[in-house]
């Protein structure tokens, strides 16, 4: 296990079918064939990035710690970069990941505030209508 197998982009790009799909995430090569049917997002998600660098797609979704553990179990080697290979896409995703989680937290608080204000308005409207009905 001390020796790690190396794959080129050419090697990875040959594995794009449902029963044989490899992908690159953070310069590591994963054989996701056994996980295609179990993937919560559906098989299309994996097949769309099969045989390619899926780092950006993986990070944009914001996978859980459990998903990252499953991914480690699918690791089969490292990517050996060669001249002409696409540049890694990790620099743009690392700066956008905290922003998206901050935006999601801000949206959650905003929705909570709207629900709270709506509930308060409904309560006061109910009280108002009850008091008017008793006067009649």
């Amino acid at each position: 296990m001390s020796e790690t197998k190396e794959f080129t982009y050419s090697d990875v790009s040959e594995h794009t079918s449902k029963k044989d799909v490899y992908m690159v995430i953070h310069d590591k090569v994963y054989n996701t064939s056994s996980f295609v049917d179990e993937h919560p997002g559906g098989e299309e998600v994996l097949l769309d990035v099969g045989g390619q660098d899926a780092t950006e797609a993986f990070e944009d979704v914001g996978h859980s710690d459990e998903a990252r553990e499953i991914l480690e179990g699918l690791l089969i080697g490292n990517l050996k970069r060669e001249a002409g290979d696409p540049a890694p896409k990790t620099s743009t995703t690392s700066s956008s990941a905290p922003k998206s989680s901050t935006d999601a937290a801000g949206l959650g608080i905003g929705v909570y505030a709207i629900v709270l204000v709506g509930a308060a308005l409904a309560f006061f409207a109910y009280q108002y209508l009850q008091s008017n009905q008793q006067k009649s």
Side-chain angles (χ1 to χ4, degrees):
M1 194 126 192
S2 61
E3 180 128 358
T4 304
K5 188 167 182 183
E6 289 190 331
F7 296 86
T8 63
Y9 266 114
S10 178
D11 296 333
V12 173
S13 68
E14 294 172 1
H15 301 271
T16 59
S17 69
K18 180 178 177 178
K19 296 193 184 292
D20 181 34
V21 61
Y22 288 9
M23 62 186 60
V24 176
I25 300 174
H26 296 295
D27 286 348
K28 293 183 180 182
V29 179
Y30 299 92
N31 180 349
T32 57
S33 307
S34 63
F35 192 66
V36 170
D37 291 328
E38 300 172 30
H39 189 264
E43 66 184 44
E44 300 82 19
V45 175
L46 295 180
L47 296 176
D48 284 346
V49 293
Q52 310 174 43
D53 186 338
T55 303
E56 188 172 7
F58 182 82
E59 293 300 339
D60 282 351
V61 172
H63 284 88
S64 67
D65 291 339
E66 182 182 359
R68 292 175 189 279
E69 287 176 21
I70 292 169
L71 186 65
E72 285 305 310
L74 303 174
L75 179 66
I76 57 171
N78 291 320
L79 181 68
K80 180 181 178 184
R81 292 198 173 273
E82 296 180 336
D85 285 347
K89 300 177 182 178
T90 57
S91 60
T92 57
T93 57
S94 63
S95 64
S96 66
K99 181 182 177 206
S100 63
S101 63
T102 304
D103 290 347
L107 178 65
I109 292 170
V111 169
Y112 179 73
I114 290 171
V115 169
L116 189 62
V117 168
L121 288 173
F123 174 76
F124 289 118
Y126 176 77
Q127 292 296 327
Y128 176 77
L129 289 174
Q130 288 296 326
S131 67
N132 280 348
Q133 198 173 32
Q134 288 175 356
K135 289 179 185 176
S136 299

CSV table of all heavy atoms in Angstrom, one decimal, residues 45-97:
chain,number,residue,atom,x,y,z
A,45,VAL,N,-25.0,12.5,-12.7
A,45,VAL,CA,-24.0,13.4,-12.1
A,45,VAL,C,-22.6,12.9,-12.2
A,45,VAL,O,-21.7,13.6,-12.6
A,45,VAL,CB,-24.4,13.7,-10.6
A,45,VAL,CG1,-23.3,14.6,-10.0
A,45,VAL,CG2,-25.7,14.4,-10.5
A,46,LEU,N,-22.4,11.6,-11.9
A,46,LEU,CA,-21.1,11.0,-12.0
A,46,LEU,C,-20.7,10.8,-13.4
A,46,LEU,O,-19.5,11.1,-13.8
A,46,LEU,CB,-21.0,9.7,-11.2
A,46,LEU,CG,-21.2,9.8,-9.7
A,46,LEU,CD1,-21.2,8.4,-9.1
A,46,LEU,CD2,-20.2,10.7,-9.1
A,47,LEU,N,-21.6,10.4,-14.2
A,47,LEU,CA,-21.2,10.1,-15.6
A,47,LEU,C,-20.9,11.4,-16.4
A,47,LEU,O,-20.1,11.3,-17.3
A,47,LEU,CB,-22.4,9.3,-16.3
A,47,LEU,CG,-22.6,7.9,-15.7
A,47,LEU,CD1,-23.8,7.3,-16.4
A,47,LEU,CD2,-21.4,7.1,-15.9
A,48,ASP,N,-21.5,12.5,-16.0
A,48,ASP,CA,-21.2,13.8,-16.7
A,48,ASP,C,-19.7,14.2,-16.5
A,48,ASP,O,-19.2,14.9,-17.3
A,48,ASP,CB,-22.1,14.9,-16.2
A,48,ASP,CG,-23.5,14.8,-16.7
A,48,ASP,OD1,-23.7,14.1,-17.7
A,48,ASP,OD2,-24.4,15.5,-16.2
A,49,VAL,N,-19.1,13.8,-15.4
A,49,VAL,CA,-17.7,14.2,-15.1
A,49,VAL,C,-16.8,13.0,-15.2
A,49,VAL,O,-15.6,13.1,-14.9
A,49,VAL,CB,-17.6,14.9,-13.7
A,49,VAL,CG1,-18.3,16.3,-13.8
A,49,VAL,CG2,-18.1,14.1,-12.6
A,50,GLY,N,-17.3,11.9,-15.6
A,50,GLY,CA,-16.5,10.7,-15.7
A,50,GLY,C,-15.3,10.9,-16.7
A,50,GLY,O,-15.5,11.5,-17.8
A,51,GLY,N,-14.2,10.4,-16.3
A,51,GLY,CA,-13.0,10.5,-17.2
A,51,GLY,C,-12.4,11.9,-17.2
A,51,GLY,O,-11.5,12.2,-18.1
A,52,GLN,N,-12.8,12.8,-16.3
A,52,GLN,CA,-12.3,14.2,-16.3
A,52,GLN,C,-11.9,14.6,-14.9
A,52,GLN,O,-12.1,13.9,-13.9
A,52,GLN,CB,-13.5,15.1,-16.7
A,52,GLN,CG,-14.2,14.8,-18.0
A,52,GLN,CD,-15.4,15.7,-18.2
A,52,GLN,OE1,-15.3,16.9,-18.0
A,52,GLN,NE2,-16.5,15.2,-18.6
A,53,ASP,N,-11.5,15.9,-14.8
A,53,ASP,CA,-11.2,16.5,-13.5
A,53,ASP,C,-12.6,17.0,-13.0
A,53,ASP,O,-13.2,17.9,-13.5
A,53,ASP,CB,-10.3,17.7,-13.6
A,53,ASP,CG,-9.9,18.3,-12.3
A,53,ASP,OD1,-10.6,18.1,-11.3
A,53,ASP,OD2,-8.8,18.9,-12.3
A,54,ALA,N,-13.0,16.4,-11.9
A,54,ALA,CA,-14.3,16.7,-11.3
A,54,ALA,C,-14.2,17.5,-10.0
A,54,ALA,O,-15.2,17.6,-9.3
A,54,ALA,CB,-15.1,15.4,-11.0
A,55,THR,N,-13.0,18.1,-9.8
A,55,THR,CA,-12.8,18.8,-8.6
A,55,THR,C,-13.8,20.0,-8.4
A,55,THR,O,-14.4,20.1,-7.3
A,55,THR,CB,-11.4,19.4,-8.6
A,55,THR,OG1,-10.4,18.4,-8.7
A,55,THR,CG2,-11.1,20.2,-7.3
A,56,GLU,N,-14.0,20.8,-9.4
A,56,GLU,CA,-14.9,21.9,-9.3
A,56,GLU,C,-16.3,21.5,-9.0
A,56,GLU,O,-17.0,22.0,-8.2
A,56,GLU,CB,-14.8,22.7,-10.6
A,56,GLU,CG,-15.6,24.0,-10.5
A,56,GLU,CD,-15.3,25.0,-11.7
A,56,GLU,OE1,-14.7,24.5,-12.7
A,56,GLU,OE2,-15.8,26.1,-11.6
A,57,ALA,N,-16.8,20.4,-9.8
A,57,ALA,CA,-18.1,19.9,-9.6
A,57,ALA,C,-18.3,19.4,-8.2
A,57,ALA,O,-19.4,19.6,-7.5
A,57,ALA,CB,-18.5,18.9,-10.6
A,58,PHE,N,-17.3,18.6,-7.7
A,58,PHE,CA,-17.4,18.1,-6.4
A,58,PHE,C,-17.5,19.1,-5.3
A,58,PHE,O,-18.3,19.1,-4.4
A,58,PHE,CB,-16.2,17.1,-6.1
A,58,PHE,CG,-16.2,16.4,-4.8
A,58,PHE,CD1,-16.9,15.3,-4.6
A,58,PHE,CD2,-15.5,16.9,-3.7
A,58,PHE,CE1,-16.9,14.6,-3.4
A,58,PHE,CE2,-15.5,16.3,-2.5
A,58,PHE,CZ,-16.2,15.1,-2.3
A,59,GLU,N,-16.6,20.1,-5.4
A,59,GLU,CA,-16.6,21.2,-4.4
A,59,GLU,C,-17.8,22.1,-4.4
A,59,GLU,O,-18.2,22.6,-3.4
A,59,GLU,CB,-15.3,22.0,-4.4
A,59,GLU,CG,-14.1,21.2,-4.1
A,59,GLU,CD,-14.1,20.6,-2.7
A,59,GLU,OE1,-14.8,21.1,-1.8
A,59,GLU,OE2,-13.3,19.7,-2.4
A,60,ASP,N,-18.3,22.4,-5.6
A,60,ASP,CA,-19.5,23.3,-5.8
A,60,ASP,C,-20.7,22.7,-5.1
A,60,ASP,O,-21.5,23.5,-4.6
A,60,ASP,CB,-19.8,23.5,-7.3
A,60,ASP,CG,-18.9,24.5,-7.9
A,60,ASP,OD1,-18.1,25.1,-7.2
A,60,ASP,OD2,-18.9,24.6,-9.2
A,61,VAL,N,-20.8,21.4,-5.0
A,61,VAL,CA,-22.0,20.8,-4.3
A,61,VAL,C,-21.9,20.9,-2.8
A,61,VAL,O,-22.9,21.0,-2.2
A,61,VAL,CB,-22.1,19.3,-4.8
A,61,VAL,CG1,-23.2,18.6,-4.0
A,61,VAL,CG2,-22.4,19.2,-6.2
A,62,GLY,N,-20.7,21.0,-2.3
A,62,GLY,CA,-20.5,21.1,-0.8
A,62,GLY,C,-20.8,19.7,-0.2
A,62,GLY,O,-21.7,19.6,0.7
A,63,HIS,N,-20.1,18.7,-0.6
A,63,HIS,CA,-20.3,17.4,0.0
A,63,HIS,C,-20.0,17.3,1.5
A,63,HIS,O,-19.1,18.0,2.0
A,63,HIS,CB,-19.4,16.4,-0.8
A,63,HIS,CG,-19.9,16.0,-2.1
A,63,HIS,ND1,-19.6,16.7,-3.2
A,63,HIS,CD2,-20.7,15.0,-2.5
A,63,HIS,CE1,-20.1,16.2,-4.3
A,63,HIS,NE2,-20.8,15.1,-3.9
A,64,SER,N,-20.7,16.4,2.2
A,64,SER,CA,-20.5,16.2,3.6
A,64,SER,C,-19.2,15.5,3.9
A,64,SER,O,-18.6,14.9,3.0
A,64,SER,CB,-21.7,15.4,4.1
A,64,SER,OG,-21.7,14.1,3.6
A,65,ASP,N,-18.9,15.4,5.2
A,65,ASP,CA,-17.8,14.6,5.7
A,65,ASP,C,-17.9,13.2,5.3
A,65,ASP,O,-17.0,12.5,5.0
A,65,ASP,CB,-17.5,14.8,7.2
A,65,ASP,CG,-17.1,16.2,7.5
A,65,ASP,OD1,-16.6,16.9,6.7
A,65,ASP,OD2,-17.3,16.6,8.7
A,66,GLU,N,-19.2,12.7,5.4
A,66,GLU,CA,-19.4,11.3,5.1
A,66,GLU,C,-19.2,11.0,3.6
A,66,GLU,O,-18.6,10.0,3.3
A,66,GLU,CB,-20.9,10.9,5.4
A,66,GLU,CG,-21.2,9.5,5.2
A,66,GLU,CD,-22.7,9.1,5.5
A,66,GLU,OE1,-23.4,10.0,5.9
A,66,GLU,OE2,-23.0,8.0,5.2
A,67,ALA,N,-19.5,11.9,2.8
A,67,ALA,CA,-19.3,11.8,1.3
A,67,ALA,C,-17.8,11.7,1.1
A,67,ALA,O,-17.3,11.0,0.2
A,67,ALA,CB,-19.9,12.9,0.6
A,68,ARG,N,-17.0,12.6,1.8
A,68,ARG,CA,-15.6,12.6,1.6
A,68,ARG,C,-14.9,11.3,2.1
A,68,ARG,O,-13.9,10.8,1.5
A,68,ARG,CB,-15.0,13.8,2.3
A,68,ARG,CG,-15.4,15.1,1.6
A,68,ARG,CD,-15.0,16.4,2.4
A,68,ARG,NE,-15.6,17.5,1.8
A,68,ARG,CZ,-15.1,18.2,0.7
A,68,ARG,NH1,-14.1,17.7,0.1
A,68,ARG,NH2,-15.7,19.3,0.3
A,69,GLU,N,-15.5,10.7,3.1
A,69,GLU,CA,-15.0,9.4,3.6
A,69,GLU,C,-15.3,8.3,2.6
A,69,GLU,O,-14.4,7.5,2.3
A,69,GLU,CB,-15.6,9.0,4.9
A,69,GLU,CG,-15.2,9.8,6.1
A,69,GLU,CD,-15.9,9.5,7.4
A,69,GLU,OE1,-16.5,8.4,7.5
A,69,GLU,OE2,-15.9,10.4,8.3
A,70,ILE,N,-16.4,8.3,2.0
A,70,ILE,CA,-16.8,7.4,0.9
A,70,ILE,C,-15.8,7.5,-0.2
A,70,ILE,O,-15.3,6.6,-0.8
A,70,ILE,CB,-18.2,7.5,0.5
A,70,ILE,CG1,-19.2,7.1,1.6
A,70,ILE,CG2,-18.5,6.7,-0.8
A,70,ILE,CD1,-20.6,7.5,1.3
A,71,LEU,N,-15.5,8.8,-0.6
A,71,LEU,CA,-14.6,9.1,-1.7
A,71,LEU,C,-13.2,8.5,-1.4
A,71,LEU,O,-12.6,7.9,-2.3
A,71,LEU,CB,-14.5,10.6,-1.9
A,71,LEU,CG,-13.7,11.0,-3.1
A,71,LEU,CD1,-14.4,10.6,-4.4
A,71,LEU,CD2,-13.6,12.6,-3.1
A,72,GLU,N,-12.7,8.6,-0.2
A,72,GLU,CA,-11.4,8.1,0.2
A,72,GLU,C,-11.4,6.6,-0.1
A,72,GLU,O,-10.3,6.0,-0.4
A,72,GLU,CB,-11.0,8.4,1.6
A,72,GLU,CG,-10.6,9.9,1.8
A,72,GLU,CD,-9.5,10.3,0.8
A,72,GLU,OE1,-8.5,9.6,0.7
A,72,GLU,OE2,-9.7,11.3,0.1
A,73,GLY,N,-12.5,5.9,0.2
A,73,GLY,CA,-12.6,4.4,-0.1
A,73,GLY,C,-12.5,4.1,-1.5
A,73,GLY,O,-12.2,2.9,-1.9
A,74,LEU,N,-12.7,5.0,-2.4
A,74,LEU,CA,-12.7,4.8,-3.9
A,74,LEU,C,-11.4,5.2,-4.5
A,74,LEU,O,-11.2,5.0,-5.7
A,74,LEU,CB,-13.9,5.6,-4.5
A,74,LEU,CG,-15.3,5.3,-4.0
A,74,LEU,CD1,-16.3,6.2,-4.6
A,74,LEU,CD2,-15.6,3.8,-4.2
A,75,LEU,N,-10.4,5.7,-3.7
A,75,LEU,CA,-9.2,6.2,-4.2
A,75,LEU,C,-8.3,5.0,-4.8
A,75,LEU,O,-8.2,4.0,-4.2
A,75,LEU,CB,-8.4,6.8,-3.1
A,75,LEU,CG,-7.0,7.3,-3.4
A,75,LEU,CD1,-7.1,8.5,-4.4
A,75,LEU,CD2,-6.3,7.8,-2.2
A,76,ILE,N,-7.8,5.2,-6.0
A,76,ILE,CA,-7.0,4.2,-6.7
A,76,ILE,C,-5.6,4.7,-7.0
A,76,ILE,O,-4.8,3.9,-7.4
A,76,ILE,CB,-7.7,3.6,-7.9
A,76,ILE,CG1,-8.1,4.7,-8.9
A,76,ILE,CG2,-8.9,2.8,-7.5
A,76,ILE,CD1,-8.5,4.1,-10.3
A,77,GLY,N,-5.4,6.0,-6.9
A,77,GLY,CA,-4.0,6.5,-7.3
A,77,GLY,C,-4.0,8.0,-7.4
A,77,GLY,O,-5.0,8.7,-7.0
A,78,ASN,N,-2.9,8.5,-7.9
A,78,ASN,CA,-2.7,9.9,-8.0
A,78,ASN,C,-2.6,10.3,-9.5
A,78,ASN,O,-2.2,9.4,-10.3
A,78,ASN,CB,-1.4,10.4,-7.3
A,78,ASN,CG,-1.5,10.3,-5.8
A,78,ASN,OD1,-2.5,10.6,-5.3
A,78,ASN,ND2,-0.5,9.9,-5.2
A,79,LEU,N,-2.9,11.5,-9.8
A,79,LEU,CA,-2.8,12.0,-11.2
A,79,LEU,C,-1.4,12.4,-11.5
A,79,LEU,O,-0.7,13.1,-10.7
A,79,LEU,CB,-3.7,13.2,-11.4
A,79,LEU,CG,-3.7,13.8,-12.8
A,79,LEU,CD1,-4.3,12.8,-13.8
A,79,LEU,CD2,-4.5,15.1,-12.8
A,80,LYS,N,-0.8,11.9,-12.6
A,80,LYS,CA,0.5,12.3,-13.0
A,80,LYS,C,0.3,13.3,-14.1
A,80,LYS,O,-0.2,13.0,-15.2
A,80,LYS,CB,1.3,11.1,-13.5
A,80,LYS,CG,2.6,11.5,-14.0
A,80,LYS,CD,3.4,10.2,-14.5
A,80,LYS,CE,4.7,10.6,-15.1
A,80,LYS,NZ,5.4,9.4,-15.6
A,81,ARG,N,0.6,14.6,-13.8
A,81,ARG,CA,0.4,15.6,-14.8
A,81,ARG,C,1.4,15.6,-15.9
A,81,ARG,O,2.6,15.4,-15.6
A,81,ARG,CB,0.4,17.0,-14.2
A,81,ARG,CG,-0.8,17.2,-13.3
A,81,ARG,CD,-1.1,18.6,-12.9
A,81,ARG,NE,-2.3,18.8,-12.2
A,81,ARG,CZ,-3.5,18.9,-12.8
A,81,ARG,NH1,-3.6,19.0,-14.1
A,81,ARG,NH2,-4.6,19.0,-12.1
A,82,GLU,N,1.0,15.8,-17.1
A,82,GLU,CA,1.9,15.9,-18.3
A,82,GLU,C,1.7,17.2,-19.0
A,82,GLU,O,0.6,17.9,-18.8
A,82,GLU,CB,1.6,14.7,-19.2
A,82,GLU,CG,1.9,13.3,-18.6
A,82,GLU,CD,1.6,12.2,-19.5
A,82,GLU,OE1,0.8,12.3,-20.4
A,82,GLU,OE2,2.2,11.1,-19.3
A,83,ALA,N,2.6,17.5,-19.9
A,83,ALA,CA,2.5,18.7,-20.7
A,83,ALA,C,1.2,18.7,-21.5
A,83,ALA,O,0.9,17.6,-22.1
A,83,ALA,CB,3.7,18.9,-21.6
A,84,GLY,N,0.4,19.8,-21.5
A,84,GLY,CA,-0.8,19.8,-22.3
A,84,GLY,C,-2.0,19.4,-21.5
A,84,GLY,O,-3.2,19.6,-22.0
A,85,ASP,N,-1.9,18.9,-20.3
A,85,ASP,CA,-3.0,18.6,-19.4
A,85,ASP,C,-3.7,19.9,-19.0
A,85,ASP,O,-3.0,20.9,-18.8
A,85,ASP,CB,-2.6,17.8,-18.2
A,85,ASP,CG,-2.2,16.4,-18.5
A,85,ASP,OD1,-2.6,15.9,-19.6
A,85,ASP,OD2,-1.6,15.7,-17.7
A,86,PRO,N,-5.0,19.8,-18.7
A,86,PRO,CA,-5.7,21.0,-18.2
A,86,PRO,C,-5.1,21.4,-16.8
A,86,PRO,O,-4.8,20.5,-16.1
A,86,PRO,CB,-7.2,20.6,-18.1
A,86,PRO,CG,-7.2,19.2,-18.5
A,86,PRO,CD,-5.9,18.7,-18.9
A,87,ALA,N,-5.1,22.7,-16.5
A,87,ALA,CA,-4.6,23.1,-15.2
A,87,ALA,C,-5.6,22.7,-14.2
A,87,ALA,O,-6.8,22.7,-14.4
A,87,ALA,CB,-4.5,24.7,-15.3
A,88,PRO,N,-5.1,22.5,-12.9
A,88,PRO,CA,-6.1,22.2,-11.8
A,88,PRO,C,-7.0,23.4,-11.6
A,88,PRO,O,-6.6,24.5,-11.7
A,88,PRO,CB,-5.1,21.9,-10.7
A,88,PRO,CG,-3.8,22.5,-11.0
A,88,PRO,CD,-3.8,22.6,-12.5
A,89,LYS,N,-8.2,23.0,-11.2
A,89,LYS,CA,-9.3,24.0,-10.9
A,89,LYS,C,-9.5,24.3,-9.5
A,89,LYS,O,-10.5,24.8,-9.1
A,89,LYS,CB,-10.6,23.6,-11.6
A,89,LYS,CG,-10.5,23.4,-13.0
A,89,LYS,CD,-11.8,22.9,-13.6
A,89,LYS,CE,-11.7,22.6,-15.1
A,89,LYS,NZ,-12.9,22.1,-15.7
A,90,THR,N,-8.5,23.9,-8.6
A,90,THR,CA,-8.7,24.0,-7.2
A,90,THR,C,-8.7,25.5,-6.6
A,90,THR,O,-9.3,25.8,-5.7
A,90,THR,CB,-7.7,23.2,-6.4
A,90,THR,OG1,-6.4,23.6,-6.8
A,90,THR,CG2,-7.9,21.7,-6.7
A,91,SER,N,-7.9,26.4,-7.3
A,91,SER,CA,-7.7,27.7,-6.7
A,91,SER,C,-9.0,28.5,-6.8
A,91,SER,O,-9.3,29.2,-5.8
A,91,SER,CB,-6.7,28.5,-7.5
A,91,SER,OG,-7.0,28.6,-8.9
A,92,THR,N,-9.9,28.3,-7.8
A,92,THR,CA,-11.1,29.1,-7.8
A,92,THR,C,-12.2,28.5,-6.9
A,92,THR,O,-12.9,29.3,-6.3
A,92,THR,CB,-11.7,29.1,-9.2
A,92,THR,OG1,-11.9,27.8,-9.7
A,92,THR,CG2,-10.8,29.9,-10.2
A,93,THR,N,-12.2,27.2,-6.7
A,93,THR,CA,-13.2,26.6,-5.8
A,93,THR,C,-12.9,26.8,-4.4
A,93,THR,O,-13.8,27.0,-3.6
A,93,THR,CB,-13.3,25.1,-6.1
A,93,THR,OG1,-12.0,24.5,-5.9
A,93,THR,CG2,-13.8,24.8,-7.5
A,94,SER,N,-11.6,26.9,-4.0
A,94,SER,CA,-11.3,27.1,-2.6
A,94,SER,C,-11.7,28.5,-2.1
A,94,SER,O,-12.1,28.7,-1.0
A,94,SER,CB,-9.8,26.9,-2.3
A,94,SER,OG,-9.1,27.8,-3.0
A,95,SER,N,-11.7,29.5,-3.0
A,95,SER,CA,-12.1,30.8,-2.6
A,95,SER,C,-13.6,31.0,-2.6
A,95,SER,O,-14.2,31.8,-1.9
A,95,SER,CB,-11.4,31.9,-3.5
A,95,SER,OG,-11.9,31.7,-4.8
A,96,SER,N,-14.3,30.2,-3.4
A,96,SER,CA,-15.7,30.3,-3.5
A,96,SER,C,-16.5,29.5,-2.5
A,96,SER,O,-17.6,29.7,-2.2
A,96,SER,CB,-16.2,30.0,-4.9
A,96,SER,OG,-16.0,28.7,-5.2
A,97,ALA,N,-15.8,28.4,-2.0
A,97,ALA,CA,-16.5,27.5,-1.0
A,97,ALA,C,-17.0,28.2,0.2
A,97,ALA,O,-18.1,28.1,0.6
A,97,ALA,CB,-15.6,26.3,-0.7
